[in-house]
Amino acid sequence: MDNILVVDSMTMISFDSQLCTNCGTCVVTCPLGLILEGDKASERTPFMPDNLDAVCAKCGSCEAFCPEGAISSLFDTSYSKVSLKDFRDIGPEQLGIYMRKRRSVRNYSYELVSKEKIERIMDIVRYAPSGVNSQPVKWLIVHNPEKVRKITSLTIEWMQGLLESDDENPMKMMIPTLISAYENGKDPICRGAPHLAIAYTVNSQYIDSTDSVIALTWFELAAPAFGLGACWAGFVKIASISYQPLIDELNLPPGHVVRHAMMFGYPRYDVHSIPGRNPVDIKWK
Ligand SMILES: Cc1cc2nc3c(=O)[nH]c(=O)nc-3n(C[C@H](O)[C@H](O)[C@H](O)COP(=O)(O)O)c2cc1C
């Protein structure tokens, strides 16, 4: 990647007085209202008081919305400087078809996806929104297909245990078919996908699944642009919360939990049409 800026500094943002016109956009776009107005008469640029560094969410709104390119975020992170000057937004027609054409992919070729390609997708996914820009999501990419098969077999084991238990879990209805498919050599859990993307976070009451689900939604949406397909791995997610052998297999760092999981790889079949969905249910006020 070119032009990666990595700065470790306590100063969160810098204002270039040569470029700043004191238009005030940074003041009104800061979500936490941390940037104080400048003064046109004395040519003092807006500024963020040093004592607010710790409060800054490092979201970069000030930098993104500054029409003069006068603001640089200096927090400890990395990004490629991309000029948006000549970038034309994707039109609604094209975007609508791209998004509606996304399908859950359940048939994969054996070809492995290169780590480099996965990293390119992740470089997009890390820009998914998160509450107060907390960016809590970490990733376990199961790249080795044999390890994906192991996760399938442990999830099936968990299902067998659930079936034999008194638990009134509504999933019990589906389980016999899945187990029988597995016994017949199929993979009804990870669908023969070569890889799994597992989004995990610190196990804290202050972090729920939302940020992880958004990030995985981005992953699934980005996948087709890279020639890939994906599908939520709901059973893996549920089993990985409570089934100790699966928790041990995933071996996340201590104090972390799985938030959701997605299988992915090169799709075996192309999508040729877009199926119907319920009409949207909107209540206007
Ligand atoms: C939270 C969640 C969990 C899911 N878990 C599974 C799963 O374990 N296995 C599977 O084959 N599909 C799974 N799916 C895919 C859904 O079945 C699929 O999204 C739905 O049928 C709509 O089809 P589409 O994604 O092609 O539009 C899951 C989807 C979501 C959103």
Side-chain angles (χ1 to χ4, degrees), residues 61-250:
S61 280
C62 52
E63 180 182 1
F65 288 106
C66 173
E68 311 301 337
I71 300 181
S72 302
S73 47
L74 301 177
F75 35 82
D76 183 12
T77 184
S78 66
Y79 62 104
S80 309
K81 283 275 184 196
V82 177
S83 168
L84 298 181
K85 204 160 67 76
D86 300 318
F87 178 76
R88 290 187 36 220
D89 277 339
I90 304 161
E93 191 71 26
Q94 211 185 352
L95 182 70
I97 291 175
Y98 179 81
M99 290 181 76
R100 282 181 293 208
K101 187 169 167 278
R102 175 218 58 83
R103 291 276 71 75
S104 292
V105 169
R106 299 188 180 88
N107 302 89
Y108 295 90
S109 89
Y110 296 115
E111 191 184 346
L112 298 187
V113 182
S114 70
K115 290 185 178 173
E116 190 252 332
K117 186 176 267 201
I118 297 168
E119 281 170 358
R120 282 175 63 205
I121 299 176
M122 287 304 179
D123 195 42
I124 297 172
V125 170
R126 71 194 175 100
Y127 277 81
S130 60
V132 207
N133 195 34
S134 53
Q135 302 172 72
V137 185
K138 302 173 189 203
W139 296 94
L140 173 68
I141 302 293
V142 185
H143 196 253
N144 181 338
E146 272 174 38
K147 297 204 165 145
V148 179
R149 302 290 79 78
K150 176 88 201 252
I151 290 169
T152 288
S153 93
L154 288 168
T155 306
I156 291 283
E157 247 179 59
W158 164 78
M159 285 180 167
Q160 277 157 338
L162 182 64
L163 207 55
E164 286 156 20
S165 74
D166 297 332
D167 197 327
E168 286 178 14
N169 193 318
M171 258 188 327
K172 268 185 161 177
M173 271 169 27
M174 289 181 251
I175 289 179
T177 326
L178 296 168
I179 293 179
S180 136
Y182 182 72
E183 285 168 350
N184 285 308
K186 302 235 162 54
D187 176 355
I189 304 301
C190 296
R191 308 278 178 179
H195 315 297
L196 266 181
I198 295 178
Y200 71 96
T201 70
V202 165
N203 188 9
S204 154
Q205 58 169 319
Y206 302 111
I207 302 176
D208 64 15
S209 295
T210 311
D211 299 321
S212 302
V213 168
I214 293 170
L216 274 166
T217 302
W218 275 46
F219 182 91
E220 190 191 17
L221 261 185
F226 290 83
L228 303 179
C231 181
W232 293 86
F235 296 120
V236 173
K237 185 249 170 161
I238 300 167
S240 67
I241 300 296
S242 62
Y243 189 53
Q244 197 57 47
L246 181 52
I247 294 171
D248 293 343
E249 170 67 21
L250 298 177

